[in-house]
Amino acid sequence: MTSPPAGAREWIRRDLSRDAASPNLRDYDEACARFSWAEARARLTGLPGGALNIAFEAVDRHVPVRGAQVALRWRSRGEARRDVTYRQLAQLTSRFASAVAGLGVKPGEAVFALAGRVPELYVAALGALKGGFVFCPLFSAFGPEPVFARLSRGEGRVLVTTPSLYEKKVRALRERLPALSHVVLVRSGDEARAPLPEGTLDFDALLATGRPDVAAVATRPETPALMHFTSGTTGTPKGALHVHGAVVQHHLTGLYALDLREGDVFWCTADPGWVTGTSYGIISPLTHGVTLLVDEADFDAERWYGLLERERVTVWYTAPTAVRMLMRAGEALPGRFDLSRVRFIASVGEPLNPEAVWWASRALGQPIYDTWWQTETGGIMVANYRAMPVKPGSMGRPMPGVTAAIVTRAGGRVQVSPVPGTVGELALAPGWPSMFTTYLHDEERYRACFVDGWYLSGDLARVDADGYFWFVGRADDVIKSSGHLIGPFEVESALLEHPAVAEAGVIGVPEPVMGELVKAFVALKPGFDDSEALRKELLAHARRRLGPAVAPREVAVLPALPRTRSGKILRRLLKARELGLPEGDLSTLEPPP
Ligand code: WT7
């Protein structure tokens, strides 16, 4: 949690005269005052008759002007590397789109991907969009439970994955996925020589059946394009649906918030299994015709600095957890690398500690520019801009075109809080193009996000007299661990499947690097006794079902879990006890519906 230190007036004003390129957004107030979405849309090319297709804007429209430029610069875990030009990417995505159509898959049906950061994943994402299918990424570190929950709820028709992920997470569940008619496997090395598992197709063989020159489907701005699953406090994960028109927001935020321009090498460290890795790890930068760096490997401080230097990264979009890991690797390390080409560094996903901003100013030679948004908003809503002073700890100011406010709820209505500094819920006025259009199969939950003409984010924040927003905390029980949003209900459900567990309550507890750590509290069924062996078994069970990205790191056994009168587990009370806070302060113990 961050809040402005009392009376703090320490801003970081960057001397832009030293930079070769002046910022895309030079005058924030002016850009806001004369803003129009029609003008924002006119920055894109569009298709005849008012059609708009994300893949066309990201790939095909660049072919005549920069067909030979590298669109995707892929670096593998090992020695392998691959550069894909805009022309090649256009051909590959056309092949994918037409090959999938050739399987009998209809526009609007869902193409899922479950894979690490390999080039084929990018081809599948953009190819699905090109063909008018709905693309839905899954994080490769999800276990079989989260994969199954999302694939079945999203009625995945096609799944692009790898042989090992298929074997570990999908094969056994396939009978319970009647909609899933095609599994396409990306095979490399030895895998490519092994026989194909029954009921699967080979990615390259499938592509060979497609045509390299088919045009993007003439989707409308309101045609569904992307589905991103996100977690709430209760129930199954929610499938937030986004439309092709979202590309207007992706492009505009790339321009203003990420300061992207021709010639840039852009690196977004988020995995495409999450919304950041799709909106900004694929779409936004490509609409700007830049070179996208994709690193298959996981975090490693030296590797990362080495990539920034060697790949001549100019704009870098990363996450607070990663920044904290870099901080742990020491301030001297970046000094061994030439980071002078890096023009702009931004972050998203969780609170960016003011210390991290100050650290970057010293160690990396510039501050980190925080941005705020959510799966539901589809793109950046609040940001710090290169031309504006940074107040370390603040998320910045609303994007031109976006109206944000701090509101309070009372009696089913909301009221905009007129006093700067008041803590309330961060709300947005609907109307930006990347706003989700529904939660799949859950229109009621979707409608519940809107009150009195505001979209309510579920985040608590405040705005200061200069119009800068400051994150305060979540209004609900969802957990943010290493930047990943985790629904406690999904974790509790997996624990309840264990024969020893009678009740489960899951919370996030503060942790210096990950932000929050997932901690489970369980009560045991009669006949089971607490022991270290049992607790280990519970953690292993949860990890098998949920995967390392979601599973709890700690478990504690209690005689019984605290509940409300209506029987809901009181996660907040568990949290108050864990943090040693006075329980009396939690006056509104009934969790929100
Ligand atoms: C939640 C959304 C942002 C896209 C990827 C994550 C938290 C996001 C910030 C920030 C503090 C932040 C909020 C938000 N969050 N950005 N700059 N400072 N908190 O999308 O998984 O839907 O998570 O992430 O709590 O509601 P998401």
Side-chain angles (χ1 to χ4, degrees):
M1 292 196 194
T2 55
S3 54
R9 277 277 159 215
E10 279 194 278
W11 299 7
I12 299 180
R13 290 173 197 278
R14 186 164 169 188
D15 178 8
L16 292 172
S17 64
R18 281 175 34 222
D19 295 10
S22 74
N24 290 336
L25 182 68
R26 262 165 273 183
D27 186 336
Y28 175 80
D29 293 317
E30 194 212 320
C32 292
R34 58 160 181 75
F35 185 84
S36 96
W37 283 114
E39 260 178 59
R41 172 148 183 210
R43 294 177 180 277
L44 296 170
T45 307
L47 292 169
L52 190 61
N53 182 297
I54 294 176
F56 177 81
E57 300 303 328
V59 185
D60 293 13
R61 73 170 179 141
H62 299 301
V63 175
V65 273
R66 52 177 74 86
Q69 187 198 308
V70 175
L72 202 79
R73 171 152 292 168
W74 180 69
R75 296 300 176 248
S76 77
R77 263 180 238 283
E79 295 298 304
R81 39 174 53 212
R82 191 169 156 194
D83 283 353
V84 182
T85 65
Y86 274 97
R87 179 168 294 109
Q88 290 167 331
L89 192 56
Q91 292 170 346
L92 289 166
T93 51
S94 286
R95 282 188 179 279
F96 185 88
S98 54
V100 169
L103 295 173
V105 180
K106 301 272 169 297
E109 292 187 321
V111 174
F112 276 65
L114 172 71
R117 291 178 294 276
V118 291
E120 290 83 353
L121 172 63
Y122 295 74
V123 170
L126 292 159
L129 294 166
K130 196 180 242 187
F133 312 112
V134 172
F135 178 69
C136 181
L138 297 174
F139 189 40
S140 57
F142 278 157
E145 278 302 323
V147 168
F148 175 76
R150 287 157 181 78
L151 262 175
S152 62
R153 195 166 178 81
E155 293 161 89
R157 185 83 208 279
V158 178
L159 172 68
V160 176
T161 185
T162 63
S164 66
L165 291 170
Y166 178 65
E167 184 56 39
K168 275 191 256 170
K169 305 178 184 187
V170 184
R171 196 179 55 80
L173 301 166
R174 196 131 174 218
E175 274 171 29
R176 291 164 57 205
L177 293 165
L180 184 61
S181 41
H182 308 284
V183 172
V184 186
L185 300 182
V186 176
R187 302 189 303 158
S188 59
D190 291 345
E191 289 170 349
R193 285 178 288 274
L196 264 176
E198 203 188 315
T200 66
L201 302 165
D202 175 71
F203 188 88
D204 292 333
L206 175 69
L207 244 57
T209 69
R211 286 184 38 198
D213 53 357
V214 295
V217 168
T219 45
R220 311 291 312 171
E222 64 278 8
T223 304
L226 296 156
M227 186 160 47
H228 289 291
F229 279 93
T230 184
S231 299
T233 306
T234 56
T236 46
K238 306 172 280 186
L241 206 63
H242 297 272
V243 293
H244 278 273
V247 69
V248 177
Q249 185 90 25
H250 297 146
H251 186 73
L252 188 80
T253 48
L255 182 77
Y256 285 164
L258 300 177
D259 200 48
L260 291 174
R261 68 197 57 204
E262 205 170 345
D264 271 331
V265 177
F266 175 72
W267 186 23
C268 169
T269 60
D271 189 276
W274 303 89
V275 71
T276 308
T278 312
S279 294
Y280 296 96
I282 307 178
I283 299 167
S284 171
L286 293 179
T287 68
H288 284 275
V290 307
T291 295
L292 188 66
L293 174 65
V294 175
D295 182 29
E296 186 190 20
D298 291 328
F299 176 87
D300 176 87
E302 277 201 62
R303 179 182 175 96
W304 277 30
Y305 289 127
L307 279 170
L308 289 170
E309 175 185 288
R310 256 196 331 280
E311 306 301 338
R312 302 160 176 247
V313 172
T314 52
V315 179
W316 186 30
Y317 198 24
T318 189
T321 292
V323 174
R324 289 190 292 264
M325 294 199 286
L326 290 175
M327 288 167 77
R328 282 225 302 206
E331 210 164 314
L333 187 59
R336 295 189 1 222
F337 297 85
D338 175 7
L339 305 179
S340 61
R341 283 203 180 73
V342 182
R343 185 178 77 245
F344 191 72
I345 308 173
S347 96
V348 69
E350 34 168 344
L352 181 66
N353 331 39
E355 309 83 66
V357 181
W358 289 111
W359 173 84
S361 299
R362 292 192 307 271
L364 309 177
Q366 59 186 304
I368 299 171
Y369 293 76
D370 194 16
T371 66
W372 175 94
W373 56 290
Q374 307 179 301
T375 302
E376 285 83 349
T377 72
I380 298 171
M381 295 286 108
V382 175
N384 286 283
Y385 307 92
R386 191 161 150 247
M388 263 168 34
V390 172
K391 299 191 190 190
S394 165
M395 310 190 290
R397 301 181 67 183
M399 274 292 299
V402 169
T403 305
I406 299 300
V407 305
T408 47
R409 305 194 195 209
R413 306 295 306 261
V414 307
Q415 223 166 13
V416 174
S417 137
V419 190
T422 315
V423 174
E425 193 166 350
L426 175 46
L428 302 161
W432 71 93
S434 64
M435 189 179 88
F436 69 138
T437 53
T438 192
Y439 287 130
L440 190 73
H441 306 316
D442 208 345
E443 189 65 21
E444 206 177 310
R445 251 171 143 175
Y446 174 72
R447 277 200 301 271
C449 297
F450 300 88
V451 182
D452 286 343
W454 291 97
Y455 163 72
L456 299 168
S457 70
D459 277 7
L460 299 175
R462 60 181 129 201
V463 58
D464 67 20
D466 300 311
Y468 282 67
F469 284 74
W470 300 76
F471 183 76
V472 173
R474 286 288 308 190
D476 58 17
D477 291 338
V478 294
I479 301 162
K480 256 291 154 115
S481 188
S482 298
H484 301 142
L485 196 70
I486 295 169
F489 182 81
E490 203 168 13
V491 183
E492 290 159 3
S493 305
L495 286 164
L496 285 169
E497 283 169 20
H498 191 279
V501 176
E503 304 180 283
V506 168
I507 60 167
V509 298
E511 200 276 344
V513 176
M514 290 184 272
E516 285 187 306
L517 164 155
V518 181
K519 177 157 185 176
F521 293 86
V522 298
L524 301 178
K525 285 188 182 155
F528 291 92
D529 291 315
D530 183 14
S531 69
E532 200 185 324
L534 178 67
R535 275 177 269 133
K536 273 201 176 134
E537 187 186 315
L538 291 176
L539 291 178
H541 161 87
R543 206 177 154 92
R544 265 194 314 275
R545 311 297 291 225
L546 298 166
V550 183
R553 299 289 175 100
E554 288 179 11
V555 61
V557 174
L558 299 176
L561 296 190
R563 288 180 181 273
T564 62
R565 273 187 301 278
S566 61
K568 284 184 196 154
I569 298 213
L570 273 170
R571 298 190 189 109
R572 290 187 222 182
L573 195 58
L574 289 170
K575 191 154 180 168
R577 287 181 187 161
E578 176 71 19
L579 302 181
L581 298 173
E583 293 172 11
D585 278 3
L586 300 162
S587 44
T588 52
L589 284 180
E590 194 80 34

